[in-house]
């Protein structure tokens, strides 16, 4: 089986203009780490439905939501599943419908609570209704298999996400690439 995650990225990358491709190549080759802006930290463990904000560069903001919490798998305990929406969207409108890949800046990612304790994710609200999201799976490059967030075998779903826990710089790097694609960086 081929690396589905890489294939999707190559297809997307090839569809970009040569200028954007060059910016992404330069960005990826740079030793400079793109970082999220720090806001106020919180020791409170995030709950499902918590809406959070991230801030980058000169105060460009994005909103995300906690999809699941208390995830235990081979990568750790009490992990969280989040997604981050595109800029300037009415997050509640998307939550009333169905979260799908085309309205997300960052597809579902597994993260640790340090995003909140260090102030990179800042809670700004909560969504109390059930969250409807397109089916997703996590692809393990090393094992060439699909898993759910708990590490159980799965099949390829509508949204394919990379398996593992996103580090503090991992989310920053993904956001940086998306900012380049959107012409904001």
């Amino acid at each position: 089986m081929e690396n589905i995650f890489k294939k999707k990225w190559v297809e997307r990358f090839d569809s970009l203009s040569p200028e954007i491709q060059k910016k992404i190549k330069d960005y990826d080759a740079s030793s400079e780490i793109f970082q999220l802006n720090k806001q106020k930290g919180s020791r409170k463990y995030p709950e499902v439905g918590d809406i959070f904000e991230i801030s980058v560069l000169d105060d460009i903001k994005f909103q995300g939501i906690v999809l699941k919490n208390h995830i235990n798998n081979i990568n750790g305990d009490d992990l969280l599943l989040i997604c981050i929406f595109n800029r300037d969207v009415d997050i509640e409108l998307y939550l009333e419908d169905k979260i799908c890949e085309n309205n997300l800046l960052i597809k579902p990612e597994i993260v640790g609570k340090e995003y909140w304790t260090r102030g990179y994710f800042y809670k700004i609200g909560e969504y109390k209704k059930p969250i409807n999201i397109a089916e997703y799976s996590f692809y393990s490059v090393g094992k060439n298999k699909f898993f759910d967030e708990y590490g159980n075998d799965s099949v390829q779903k509508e949204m394919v996400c990379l398996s593992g826990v996103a580090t503090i710089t991992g989310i920053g790097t993904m956001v940086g690439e998306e900012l380049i694609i959107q012409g904001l960086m």
Side-chain angles (χ1 to χ4, degrees):
M1 180 169 18
E2 65 184 314
N3 181 334
I4 302 293
F5 198 79
K6 182 176 180 182
K7 180 182 177 192
K8 285 184 88 165
W9 171 249
V10 168
E11 287 171 0
R12 184 173 184 212
F13 184 82
D14 288 346
S15 73
L16 300 171
S17 72
E19 299 114 24
I20 299 292
Q21 288 181 4
K22 182 178 180 340
K23 283 184 180 180
I24 289 173
K25 285 178 185 177
D26 292 347
Y27 170 78
D28 289 344
S30 169
S31 61
E32 196 173 305
I33 296 173
F34 183 82
Q35 191 58 272
L36 307 176
N37 296 336
K38 281 193 172 191
Q39 301 177 74
K40 184 179 177 185
S42 171
R43 293 198 183 276
K44 187 173 185 228
Y45 185 80
E47 297 296 327
V48 172
D50 279 1
I51 298 171
F52 60 89
E53 178 181 84
I54 67 169
S55 172
V56 297
L57 300 175
D58 293 327
D59 218 23
I60 296 173
K61 296 185 187 305
F62 297 93
Q63 293 180 357
I65 191 163
V66 176
L67 299 169
K68 295 185 180 177
N69 64 358
H70 298 294
I71 296 170
N72 300 322
N73 62 32
I74 195 167
N75 299 305
D77 295 332
D78 277 335
L79 300 169
L80 301 114
L81 182 66
I82 59 102
C83 64
I84 300 173
F85 291 85
N86 286 318
R87 185 174 178 218
D88 298 328
V89 300
D90 181 350
I91 188 171
E92 300 250 352
L93 180 65
Y94 285 115
L95 293 172
E96 289 295 323
D97 191 19
K98 180 179 180 181
I99 300 172
C100 56
E101 194 167 345
N102 65 354
N103 53 25
L104 293 176
L105 179 76
I106 305 292
K107 295 185 286 190
E109 284 288 333
I110 299 171
V111 299
K113 64 183 179 200
E114 64 274 2
Y115 277 95
W116 286 265
T117 58
R118 294 183 186 175
Y120 295 113
F121 290 178
Y122 178 71
K123 181 180 174 181
I124 58 169
E126 51 191 53
Y127 187 76
K128 298 273 188 197
K129 298 176 189 173
I131 300 169
N132 185 14
I133 184 166
E135 290 188 352
Y136 56 88
S137 57
F138 294 91
Y139 177 70
S140 169
V141 175
K143 295 182 179 174
N144 204 22
K145 288 177 65 175
F146 295 94
F147 297 95
D148 66 11
E149 57 269 28
Y150 301 100
N152 301 315
D153 286 348
S154 183
V155 295
Q156 182 178 348
K157 305 282 173 101
E158 186 178 339
M159 269 194 286
V160 177
C161 313
L162 193 57
S163 182
V165 177
T167 63
I168 292 288
T169 57
I171 293 288
T173 300
M174 287 184 260
V175 170
E177 287 178 344
E178 292 301 324
L179 289 173
I180 292 169
I181 292 168
Q182 295 179 15
L184 298 171
M185 194 167 106

